[in-house]
Amino acid sequence: MSRPVSSSARDPIVALLRVAVAHATPSSLRRLHLTVAVLFALDGFLFGSWAARVPDVSAQTGAGHTALGVALLCLSLGALACMQLTGALCARLGTGLTCALAGAAAAATAVLPGLAGSLPALCAGLLFFGAATGAVNVAANSLGVQVEERAGRPLLSGLHAAFSGGGLLGALLGGVASAALGVGAHLGAVAVLGLGVIVWAAPTLIGADVDPSAARQRAECPAPQSAGPRPTAVLVVLGAVAGATAYGEGALSDWGALHLREHLAATPALAAAGYAGFSSAMAAGRLAGGRLVAALGERRLLVGGALLAAGGVLAAVTTTSLPIALLGFVVVGLGLANVFPLAIARAGALGGPSGVALSTTVGYTGLLGGPPVIGFLAEHAGLPTALGTVALLAVLAAVLVLGVEGPALRRPTVPGWIQPVAFGLRPVGVALRRPGQALRPAVVKVRGAGGSYVRDLRALALD
C-alpha cells in the first residue's frame, strides 16, 4: 500500500522524502521491533564511544573542568534545540523516516569531537553531535511507542535496554581503543559503522510509516492528543521525573571516567569500565523491568530504584577504594534503569510524538544539562562533591513519584494481563487496555501546598 504525496507540498525536499515513503514496503512488526532495537543500540553505542574518550578529548584540546563543562553545554543545547523540532518533523514526514534521517546525522557527526584541536572546535562539534542525538532520542522513543501500540504489550523498557547495551559496547571498545588508536581515528571508525547500520535499517524504518495495520489502528483508536488538549502539565511532571534521574546518567557518562582516573588512579581501561558497569547494570535492570513491575508495582520500583541509586552514588564518590567505586556505579545503573523509559513511554501514549518531544526535552535537560553543571561545581568544590549532587536529584525523583497519584495507566499490553501501576497510594491491580478501545478522561492529582488537580489528562481507557 502506498500513501499519496500531497500536491500542496511546497518544499521540494519534503516532497522528495514523501515520495520515498510512498514507495516504501510496509514493515512487519517483528522486523520493525528488531530494527528499532538496533537503532536504540546504535544511539547508545555512539554516546558510549564518546563518553569513553572524554578524558582524551579533554587532553587533546587542553580543556580544564570549566572549559570542558562549557563544551558539554553545547552538546546539551544542540540536543534540546532539536527535540521539539523533531516532534514536528515526525508529524510532517513520518516517524520512521525521521528516525532514519536522525540516525544518519548522529552517526555522521560522531567523529566531530574527535577531530577538534581547540575548545571552539570542540564546542562546534558537540553542538552538531548533540543536535543529531537529540533528534534520534525523540524519534526513536516515538517509534517505540508506536511499536508498543501495534504489539499490544510493553516494549519500551526493553528498547532502552538495547540503548544501555549499546552504551556498554561503545564504552568497552572505547576503553580498548584508547590504548591503540587516537580519538579521531576511533570516532571516525564509529561513524562509518553507524552509517552502515542506518543504511541497513532505513528501509524498515521508513516502511513503518506506510504500514496498513498501523493506519487502521490509528483510524479505529485515534491518537490521545486528538481527543482533546495536550496534557501539558502532566507531560512536564513526567519529564521532570525522568530528568531528575537522567541527570545521573549524564553525569556518570561524561564525568565518571575522569573521577576514577583523577581521584582513584584508575587506568584508562578501568576508568572506561566504570561507565561500562553502569550501562550493563542499566541494561539488565531494563530487561527485567516488566517482571519487577509485576512483582513490586511501578510506584515501589520507581521510588526504591531512585533511593538505591542515591546510595550507590554516595558510595562511589566517598570511597578511596576503586572496586567499591565501580560497584557503586553498578548500583546506580540498577536503580535508575526503569525510571526514564516508563516516564517517557507514558508521555508518548498520552501525547503522541509531540508528548514524547515535550517530556523528552524536560527529561534530557537533566541528561544533557547535568554534565556542564557538574563541570562548574567540580571547578569550585571538587569532582567528588559535584558528582554527589546526583544523589540529591535521585531523591528528588523519588519525591516527585510520591507526589503524583491517580488511576491513570499509560501502558498498553496483551488482553487479560493484570499489573500494578505507579499512581496511587499503593500498587493497584487494573485490567490493561485492549487494542482498539476508546479513550476516556481521567484525573491525576499532584500533591502540593494547594493540593491542586491536573484535570487536562486524558488517559488510555481501563476496564
Side-chain angles (χ1 to χ4, degrees):
M1 175 181 289
S2 64
R3 187 169 63 189
V5 180
S6 172
S7 60
S8 63
R10 299 177 181 177
D11 190 334
I13 297 178
V14 173
L16 181 62
L17 293 174
R18 286 178 174 171
V19 168
V21 173
H23 290 84
T25 303
S27 305
S28 68
L29 178 59
R30 177 178 295 181
R31 183 173 180 82
L32 179 60
H33 184 196
L34 171 63
T35 304
V36 175
V38 170
L39 179 63
F40 271 85
L42 174 62
D43 189 22
F45 180 77
L46 296 175
F47 203 80
S49 299
W50 147 251
R53 302 308 296 263
V54 167
D56 298 310
V57 171
S58 176
Q60 178 176 292
T61 58
H65 287 162
T66 299
L68 184 58
V70 171
L72 295 174
L73 179 61
C74 292
L75 177 73
S76 306
L77 293 176
L80 295 175
C82 273
M83 284 180 174
Q84 289 296 309
L85 174 62
T86 304
L89 286 177
C90 287
R92 187 176 186 189
L93 301 179
T95 306
L97 177 57
T98 304
C99 280
L101 295 174
T109 57
V111 69
L112 296 181
L115 300 178
S118 64
L119 180 61
L122 178 60
C123 289
L126 289 178
L127 184 69
F128 286 106
F129 181 53
T133 54
V136 171
N137 283 319
V138 172
N141 277 291
S142 298
L143 189 56
V145 171
Q146 292 181 16
V147 172
E148 277 194 335
E149 291 175 352
R150 287 181 57 183
R153 56 192 176 92
L155 297 173
L156 202 62
S157 286
L159 294 175
H160 279 259
F163 174 87
S164 298
L168 167 64
L169 180 60
L172 289 174
L173 293 180
V176 173
S178 66
L181 291 176
V183 64
H186 169 223
L187 294 183
V190 167
V192 171
L193 177 62
L195 288 171
V197 171
I198 292 299
V199 168
W200 168 82
T204 303
L205 294 174
I206 296 173
D209 296 331
V210 295
D211 180 72
S213 63
R216 284 196 302 270
Q217 182 174 334
R218 286 192 296 268
E220 295 171 0
C221 185
Q225 64 268 33
S226 66
R230 186 173 68 166
T232 303
V234 177
L235 295 174
V236 170
V237 170
L238 292 172
V241 171
T245 55
Y247 177 91
E249 186 173 354
L252 292 185
S253 66
D254 283 342
W255 292 100
L258 198 62
H259 168 68
L260 295 176
R261 281 200 194 186
E262 289 187 351
H263 295 274
L264 297 174
T267 64
L270 284 177
Y275 180 72
F278 171 77
S279 293
S280 61
M282 269 202 145
R286 286 169 174 173
L287 286 173
R291 293 181 179 179
L292 290 173
V293 169
L296 302 175
E298 285 185 358
R299 185 183 181 86
R300 292 179 181 174
L301 177 60
L302 296 176
V303 174
L307 296 179
L308 180 66
V313 170
L314 293 177
V317 301
T318 58
T319 185
T320 58
S321 168
L322 180 59
I324 292 178
L326 293 174
L327 179 61
F329 280 24
V330 171
V331 171
V332 176
L334 289 173
L336 300 184
N338 290 290
V339 179
F340 196 94
L342 288 176
I344 297 302
R346 187 184 303 275
L350 292 174
S354 65
V356 171
L358 177 57
S359 289
T360 302
T361 300
V362 177
Y364 276 92
T365 300
L367 178 65
L368 302 174
V373 172
I374 294 292
F376 175 81
L377 294 175
E379 190 73 19
H380 295 85
L383 188 53
T385 300
L387 289 175
T389 60
V390 174
L392 295 178
L393 269 292
V395 172
L396 175 61
V399 172
L400 289 173
V401 171
L402 290 171
V404 181
E405 61 185 50
L409 179 68
R410 178 215 58 82
R411 210 161 47 177
T413 188
V414 296
W417 279 22
I418 303 292
Q419 289 186 346
V421 298
F423 297 138
L425 296 177
R426 60 183 181 278
V428 180
V430 295
L432 305 185
R433 184 186 74 91
R434 293 172 174 80
Q437 284 183 326
L439 302 172
R440 74 182 184 195
V443 176
V444 168
K445 179 179 179 181
V446 182
R447 292 182 193 156
S452 61
Y453 283 82
V454 178
R455 300 186 181 277
D456 58 353
L457 172 64
R458 298 187 64 86
L460 294 177
L462 307 178
D463 286 339

